[in-house]
DNA sequence: GTACATTCACTTGGCAACAAGATACATTGT
DNA sequence: ACAATGTATCTTGTTGCCAAGTGAATGTAC
C-alpha cells in the first residue's frame, strides 16, 4: 500500500510538472514496474487510482494517457450576487439548464430553515451550470409554495433565481452562515457532473433572505466540482 | 469499474446510516461477492478504496471494520481573528506545535506577495494544530526577515503569530482575497496529518496585512483535513 | 505494386490459485 | 485437570497466468 501511494505521489508530480506532456503517454505498467522494481499489480493499482482521481485514462490494448486538466476558474464564494452575475463578470461562456423541479417529502431540516409549517409544500429546483458545455456545478434551491405560490409552474423556466425574486418585489438579498463541506460525488452526482468517483465536491449550503423583511426566500445547496475552481472568499 | 463504484456508494451509505454500527464488522469479501454476484476482486477493490477514503480498515486474517469517524468541528474561515482565538471560542482542547522554522530559497510568488526584495530572507514557520492530540491542520506562515528581524530565533517559540505581531506594535490585522483550493495530501502531508491518501485537504492561502500601515506581515498557507471540519464562511 | 490476411509483439483487464495471518476447537501429553 | 500443540477453517493479501484489444510488421495472392 505504501508503495502504491508513493507511486501515485510520484506520478502526480510528474504529470503536474509536465514530464509526459510531449506525447501524453505514460510508460506501460510492465515497464514502470521494472523501473521501480515493484510487482505490476502495484503499478496497476496506482494507475487505477489516478484514473479515479481524473489524472489519466487507460485504454485496453493501447496504454495510459494523461487526462487534459480543466482550467481553474476563480469563483467568488461570498454571495450577495447570483451565480449568473458572477459568471457575467468573468468572460466565460456559461449556461444554465434546469434539470428538475419537484415537490419534496417533508424534511425537518429543510422545512425548519425555510421557516414554514409542515403542511406547506416545498419544491426543489435543480439547475446545472455549464461552462463550455461542461457541467461544473449543481445548484439546488428549496423554495416554499407559501412564499412563491406559482413556483411549481414557474420553476422549470427559471434560469436566475435572483432575477425571479426581483420580479416579485424582493430587491436586496442576504445570506449568512454559509456552511462549506468537502464531499465525494454520489452516483447521481457523478452522472450529472460527468466526473469520476474521486473528484471532491465543494458543497456550499446557505439561506437566502430578503434583507428588508428578513423573510427566508430559499434554502440553497450548491455542489461545485473542486477540480474546476479556485475559490475566493 | 462501474460495479466497484456502485459497491463503494452502497457501502458508504450503509456505513453512514449505521447498518454495521452494532459490531462494526463488514461482511467478508467472499460473502459480499456472493451476495452481489460479482467476483471477489470487485469487492476487494471497493474495500481498498474505502480504506483510502478512511471509512474502513482491514486486517489480514480478521476482517474489515468501519473506522470511527471524526466529529465535525465548525470552523469560521473568514479570519481577522487567529486560529488560537477561534479555538478558544469553542470548547475544544487544542494544541499547537511548531514543527519547523527555516529559511526558504528564493520563490518569486512568495517574495512578490510579501512585497520584499529578492535578496531578503524569508522564513517559513510550520505550526501543527492538534485537537485531542489529533493533528487537524498545518499552518504555514511565510515571514520576511526585513519585517521581523528576530524571526529566525523567535520563530520556534511562537504559538500565536497574531500575538507575536501585537507584541511588536501591530494591532489590527486584515486579510482579503483568500483563495481556497481542495487538494489531496502529499506523502509529507499524510505523514504530518496522519491521514490516508484520499482525505481531501482544504488549502486556504491568504495575505495578512497591518490595517494601519497596510504593510504585509505574512503570507499564509493553511491546510485543513476536510474530514474534521464543517466550515462557516 | 497493391490489397488483403495473418502473425506477432505489446498493451491493459480479469481471474483463479496460492500465501499468510487469525481464531476456534479438537487432540495430546503430562 | 490443564496446558501446549496441532488442525481446520475462516479471514485478507499476493502473484502469476491468460484473455482481450490494438496496431505495426510480415506474408501472400493477384
Amino acid at each position: 500500500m505504501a508503495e502504491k501511494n508513493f507511486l501515485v505521489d510520484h506520478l502526480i508530480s510528474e504529470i503536474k510538472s509536465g514530464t509526459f506532456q510531449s506525447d501524453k503517454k505514460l510508460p506501460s505498467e510492465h515497464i514502470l514496474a521494472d523501473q521501480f522494481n515493484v510487482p505490476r499489480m502495484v503499478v496497476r493499482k496506482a494507475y487505477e487510482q489516478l484514473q479515479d482521481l481524473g489524472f489519466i485514462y487507460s485504454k485496453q490494448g493501447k496504454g495510459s494517457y494523461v487526462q487534459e486538466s480543466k482550467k481553474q476558474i476563480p469563483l467568488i464564494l461570498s454571495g450577495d450576487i447570483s451565480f449568473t452575475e458572477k459568471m457575467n463578470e468573468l468572460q466565460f461562456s456559461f449556461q444554465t439548464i434546469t434539470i428538475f423541479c419537484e415537490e419534496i417529502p417533508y424534511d425537518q431540516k429543510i422545512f425548519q430553515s425555510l421557516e414554514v409549517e409542515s403542511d406547506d409544500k416545498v419544491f426543489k429546483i435543480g439547475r446545472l451550470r455549464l461552462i463550455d458545455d461542461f457541467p461544473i456545478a449543481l445548484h439546488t434551491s428549496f423554495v416554499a409554495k407559501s412564499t412563491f405560490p406559482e413556483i411549481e409552474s414557474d420553476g422549470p423556466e427559471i434560469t436566475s433565481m435572483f432575477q425571479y425574486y426581483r420580479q416579485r418585489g424582493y430587491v436586496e438579498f442576504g445570506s449568512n452562515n454559509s456552511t462549506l463541506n468537502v464531499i465525494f460525488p454520489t452516483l447521481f452526482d457523478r452522472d450529472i457532473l460527468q466526473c469520476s468517483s474521486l473528484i471532491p465536491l465543494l458543497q456550499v449550503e446557505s439561506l437566502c433572505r430578503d434583507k428588508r423583511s428578513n423573510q427566508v426566500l430559499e434554502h440553497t445547496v450548491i455542489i461545485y466540482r473542486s477540480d474546476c475552481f479556485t475559490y475566493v472568499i
Side-chain angles (χ1 to χ4, degrees), chain A:
Chain A
M1 189 68 85
E3 278 175 338
K4 184 199 73 172
N5 288 336
F6 171 78
L7 255 187
V8 170
D9 255 40
H10 179 78
L11 290 169
I12 286 180
S13 76
E14 284 209 326
I15 289 170
K16 282 187 177 171
S17 73
T19 309
F20 308 123
Q21 214 168 25
S22 53
D23 54 349
K24 293 170 172 302
K25 188 167 192 299
L26 281 82
S28 80
E29 296 172 352
H30 176 70
I31 288 178
L32 203 64
D34 279 2
Q35 274 183 20
F36 283 84
N37 209 26
V38 292
R40 181 168 82 100
M41 236 15 222
V42 174
V43 178
R44 238 186 114 52
K45 283 182 183 172
Y47 274 18
E48 275 176 5
Q49 182 149 328
L50 288 174
Q51 280 191 69
D52 286 336
L53 289 169
F55 283 103
I56 69 171
Y57 62 93
S58 299
K59 271 206 152 56
Q60 184 176 169
K62 295 195 70 174
S64 301
Y65 303 84
V66 318
Q67 179 80 260
E68 197 57 49
S69 66
K70 312 274 179 190
K71 54 184 170 189
Q72 294 282 304
I73 300 167
L75 176 68
I76 290 122
L77 273 185
S78 60
D80 44 357
I81 58 170
S82 78
F83 191 90
T84 312
E85 288 158 347
K86 284 175 194 170
M87 283 292 124
N88 271 333
E89 284 179 13
L90 306 167
Q91 69 277 43
F92 296 105
S93 98
F94 87 100
Q95 194 187 350
T96 298
I97 302 174
T98 303
I99 53 173
F100 56 79
C101 171
E102 56 196 38
E103 190 182 346
I104 61 164
Y106 176 72
D107 181 293
Q108 195 189 359
K109 184 188 159 198
I110 302 284
F111 277 61
Q112 266 190 8
S113 70
L114 283 176
E115 297 173 359
V116 295
E117 303 300 324
S118 60
D119 59 352
D120 203 339
K121 285 187 175 184
V122 171
F123 289 84
K124 71 171 177 184
I125 302 168
R127 297 189 314 293
L128 194 62
R129 314 294 196 175
L130 303 102
I131 289 184
D132 299 338
D133 295 323
F134 282 106
I136 45 87
L138 175 63
H139 192 124
T140 307
S141 299
F142 294 89
V143 180
K145 194 168 188 175
S146 60
T147 314
F148 298 97
E150 308 298 329
I151 191 65
E152 184 165 13
S153 53
D154 291 344
E157 310 302 326
I158 302 174
T159 49
S160 169
M161 297 302 288
F162 280 27
Q163 197 178 320
Y164 181 76
Y165 299 150
R166 280 201 202 90
Q167 288 166 1
R168 267 142 202 84
Y170 301 100
V171 184
E172 256 194 311
F173 313 113
S175 62
N176 45 353
N177 283 344
S178 302
T179 63
L180 190 153
N181 275 290
V182 179
I183 60 171
F184 283 104
T186 63
L187 277 176
F188 175 76
D189 297 334
R190 282 206 287 280
D191 188 40
I192 293 290
L193 294 176
Q194 287 174 36
C195 62
S196 49
S197 62
L198 292 183
I199 302 290
L201 304 179
L202 207 67
Q203 175 186 290
V204 180
E205 202 163 358
S206 63
L207 219 55
C208 177
R209 287 178 187 274
D210 174 44
K211 271 195 177 173
R212 293 186 186 168
S213 65
N214 207 33
Q215 186 181 2
V216 176
L217 299 179
E218 71 165 58
H219 179 92
T220 314
V221 179
I222 315 176
I223 50 176
Y224 300 97
R225 284 184 60 157
S226 71
D227 60 339
C228 298
F229 290 108
T230 292
Y231 309 91
V232 181
I233 56 177

